[in-house]
Amino acid sequence: KQWYQRRVREFQTYQHYFKRINLRMSDKKRSAMTQVVTREYTINLHKRIHGIGFKRRAPRAIKEIKKFAQKTMGTPDVRIDTRLNKHVWHKGVKNVPFRVRVRL
């Protein structure tokens, strides 16, 4: 009987931790399709492609935009719109715009 009372006391003292764990588990079960959220961000491409060679600047900018979107939205499935791609490339491969306003 004593060991049972000790177990009950231990459970009661750590019960708030179990609640937190259950809340985290329930958050992970939600899919990205149920939460449709669009936000606008300004991506500073200038600092992200600093030091990159001229012939690799625009392709690296596209990769950095994808990486930014994956990090902020928390999804690996990121697709670049053709208008955004054309905007990044419109001044050529080496003269990428300093900042890009993006809706994610």
Side-chain angles (χ1 to χ4, degrees):
K1 193 169 182 176
Q2 275 182 333
W3 65 269
Y4 179 74
Q5 289 173 344
R6 195 178 324 126
R7 289 278 186 192
V8 168
R9 229 178 296 122
E10 285 176 9
F11 180 75
Q12 287 172 346
T13 54
Y14 294 110
Q15 199 167 11
H16 59 280
Y17 290 118
F18 294 125
K19 285 181 183 174
R20 270 195 211 151
I21 291 170
N22 287 340
L23 284 174
R24 287 183 193 151
M25 295 303 232
S26 64
D27 288 345
K28 288 180 183 175
K29 288 178 185 173
R30 289 190 202 137
S31 67
M33 296 302 287
T34 58
Q35 301 175 355
V36 178
V37 180
T38 58
R39 297 185 192 108
E40 283 198 4
Y41 293 98
T42 301
I43 303 174
N44 186 354
L45 292 176
H46 192 228
K47 73 176 185 183
R48 287 177 168 85
I49 60 169
H50 175 73
I52 304 300
F54 283 147
K55 294 299 179 185
R56 291 187 292 271
R57 283 171 92 83
R60 175 62 75 91
I62 296 295
K63 287 176 190 161
E64 290 293 330
I65 292 170
K66 275 188 177 184
K67 195 164 82 174
F68 178 84
Q70 287 173 355
K71 192 178 103 179
T72 54
M73 302 309 280
T75 176
D77 182 34
V78 174
R79 296 171 192 177
I80 302 291
D81 192 37
T82 55
R83 290 177 294 169
L84 175 60
N85 190 42
K86 284 183 180 175
H87 178 71
V88 171
W89 282 86
H90 85 280
K91 293 199 299 185
V93 70
K94 63 181 181 178
N95 294 320
V96 177
F98 281 1
R99 286 181 183 80
V100 175
R101 191 86 172 144
V102 178
R103 183 174 290 131
L104 300 175

